[in-house]
Amino acid sequence: KMVRIVQPLLVLLLSVVLFGAYNQFYASPIHPCVPEPLPPLPEAVGVSAPNNVLAAAHHFHEGHYSSGHFGPESFAYDGKRWLYSGVANGKIIKFDLLSKNLDLVEVGSIGKDLGEACVPGEMERECGRPLGLEYHSDGYLIVADAYGLVKFDVNTAKSTVLADGIDGREFGFLNTCVLSKDDVVYFVESTSKWKRHQVPQMVFESCPDGTLYSYDLKTDKLDILLEGLTFPNGVSLTPNEDAIVFSETMRARLNKYYLSGPQKGKLVRFSENLPGRPDNLRYDADLELYWVGLSSKRLAPFSTVDYLIDKPMLRIVLAAIFPQKLAYHLLPKMGILAAVGLDGEILFTLQDPSGGTNRISE
């Protein structure tokens, strides 16, 4: 008698689960790609062995969430006194390097200044979201706003949109930029489909819809250099500017694209199987290496993103049922900064396993 009761209940429960999964499948906002498998996770040994160097990092200007002065993604130095950055409310701020506490000064907005409406970002497109920054000696910043390439005068706080789309479509999600000595800006569109606030969907989908561009400040010419990239992110130039080094976050690697010389137009792998998801990178001329911010840990024995990469059905369901804010908690809270040599080899890493200094951008 008990079996006759339990069996229908099990069938009913299974039917509910399957029906729910079916609905979630069709309700999911993503259409995942299945890229080539990633290499086996690197071990936490050698240059990736745990250390606590970043745990000793001093934190300046914490607790500015209510003012919108949070989420700095990149920095630009004027070579004299000021270190510029952009924050979540669309403002450009600067830090006084000659002051003891890096005094913070607000410069202006790259978009509309809507006050509290710009915090935490529901009006992001109108307010702007400055990400990559480069300082030009003529007194302005080149800003990779999430929605377009912008010129920002640091003296007048005037913004000029240089490019907000290509071939009749608007940009999806611009991320970072670098400025060459001959006034050419190289920048990336991390995805042509999603916007910045939809990063979890972009990660779950993992499709090669990113692009590397060039923009000539002298001629206003916008060109596509590379397409079919999976979440391209940070960009930097080689010391002699014959190539661009850029990160592909979802592929856990750095690439090199040649701009001149016998290998002009060639794309090569520069540094693969990194111990974290690479974000921005900067060339350090004094140490002759690239500093690469790793936004999350990627080390044996387990990485959530690596585990999901060959499971498109699971990604579909997770993208449908997971609230966006919770998706970020899938990533371990740990800080890693990697030093990568000119040959692409990791020289050493600076870490904070406690997560006190974490999700490093640059």
Side-chain angles (χ1 to χ4, degrees), residues 4 82 88 104 127 141 197 206 208 218 224 234 242 274 306 332:
R4 289 199 300 270
W82 299 104
L104 186 157
C127 299
L141 295 172
H197 67 280
S206 293
K218 297 174 181 176
I224 294 174
D242 69 332
L274 296 172
D306 282 59

Side-chain angles (χ1 to χ4, degrees), residues 225-241:
L225 300 181
L226 280 174
E227 296 180 284
L229 305 171
T230 307
F231 199 168
N233 205 326
V235 290
S236 184
L237 286 160
T238 53
N240 62 358
E241 300 195 350

Side-chain angles (χ1 to χ4, degrees), residues 186 212 214 224-226 236-246 254-271 290 342-344:
Y186 299 97
L212 174 66
S214 67
I224 294 174
L225 300 181
L226 280 174
S236 184
L237 286 160
T238 53
N240 62 358
E241 300 195 350
D242 69 332
I244 300 169
V245 176
F246 67 93
L254 305 180
N255 302 310
K256 180 184 280 189
Y257 177 77
Y258 284 90
L259 299 168
S260 60
Q263 299 192 80
K264 181 179 179 179
K266 184 177 180 180
L267 175 69
V268 298
R269 305 299 176 219
F270 182 65
S271 186
Y290 296 94
L342 296 178
D343 58 357

Side-chain angles (χ1 to χ4, degrees), residues 18-320:
L18 290 175
F19 180 73
Y22 176 85
N23 280 341
Q24 294 298 348
F25 178 86
Y26 284 100
S28 181
I30 71 166
H31 301 282
C33 298
V34 184
E36 295 180 6
L38 290 166
L41 292 170
E43 299 287 336
V45 296
V47 294
S48 298
N51 64 68
N52 295 291
V53 176
L54 282 184
H58 183 77
H59 294 194
F60 291 93
H61 302 291
E62 288 189 296
H64 282 267
Y65 189 90
S66 60
S67 66
H69 294 159
F70 64 93
E73 176 85 7
S74 182
F75 297 97
Y77 178 46
D78 70 355
K80 299 175 183 176
R81 175 178 182 177
W82 299 104
L83 185 68
Y84 292 88
S85 189
V87 285
N89 61 358
K91 297 290 180 68
I92 297 296
I93 59 175
K94 62 182 180 180
F95 302 95
D96 187 353
L97 298 183
L98 300 183
S99 64
K100 181 179 178 180
N101 297 312
L102 292 184
D103 294 344
L104 186 157
V105 179
E106 190 176 286
V107 182
S109 300
I110 62 167
K112 296 179 180 178
D113 187 352
L114 302 178
E116 292 184 0
C118 291
V119 184
E122 293 180 1
M123 302 293 289
E124 185 175 89
R125 186 177 186 85
E126 288 76 11
C127 299
R129 181 55 172 105
L131 297 172
L133 285 89
E134 287 284 291
Y135 183 82
H136 194 284
S137 58
D138 286 348
Y140 61 85
L141 295 172
I142 295 297
V143 183
D145 172 41
Y147 303 92
L149 192 67
V150 174
K151 178 181 178 180
F152 180 85
D153 190 310
V154 299
N155 298 305
T156 64
K158 179 184 177 182
S159 289
T160 304
V161 177
L162 301 176
D164 58 6
I166 190 168
D167 296 335
R169 70 163 180 87
E170 62 179 26
F171 289 134
F173 168 27
L174 296 194
N175 206 320
T176 323
C177 62
V178 66
L179 177 64
S180 73
K181 294 175 183 176
D182 56 356
D183 282 352
V184 176
V185 183
Y186 299 97
F187 65 100
V188 295
E189 180 183 31
S190 291
T191 169
S192 59
K193 178 178 179 179
W194 304 100
K195 299 301 182 184
R196 193 204 66 84
H197 67 280
Q198 297 169 313
V199 167
Q201 287 97 321
M202 178 174 63
V203 170
F204 278 129
E205 196 165 76
S206 293
C207 287
D209 59 354
T211 307
L212 174 66
Y213 296 95
S214 67
Y215 182 90
D216 193 320
L217 293 173
K218 297 174 181 176
T219 64
D220 296 324
K221 190 173 187 295
L222 175 66
D223 286 311
I224 294 174
L225 300 181
L226 280 174
E227 296 180 284
L229 305 171
T230 307
F231 199 168
N233 205 326
V235 290
S236 184
L237 286 160
T238 53
N240 62 358
E241 300 195 350
D242 69 332
I244 300 169
V245 176
F246 67 93
S247 62
E248 257 186 304
T249 300
M250 293 308 297
R251 303 306 296 166
R253 68 189 177 198
L254 305 180
N255 302 310
K256 180 184 280 189
Y257 177 77
Y258 284 90
L259 299 168
S260 60
Q263 299 192 80
K264 181 179 179 179
K266 184 177 180 180
L267 175 69
V268 298
R269 305 299 176 219
F270 182 65
S271 186
E272 297 194 85
N273 205 23
L274 296 172
R277 304 283 162 191
D279 200 323
N280 289 353
L281 62 150
R282 285 278 183 170
Y283 178 67
D284 186 328
D286 293 330
L287 297 179
E288 297 185 331
L289 55 78
Y290 296 94
W291 289 109
V292 184
L294 302 179
S295 59
S296 64
K297 181 182 74 170
R298 181 181 170 271
L299 289 167
F302 184 76
S303 162
T304 302
V305 176
D306 282 59
Y307 175 77
L308 292 173
I309 203 71
D310 63 349
K311 298 172 179 63
M313 298 296 289
L314 181 54
R315 283 189 276 145
I316 286 174
V317 173
L318 288 176

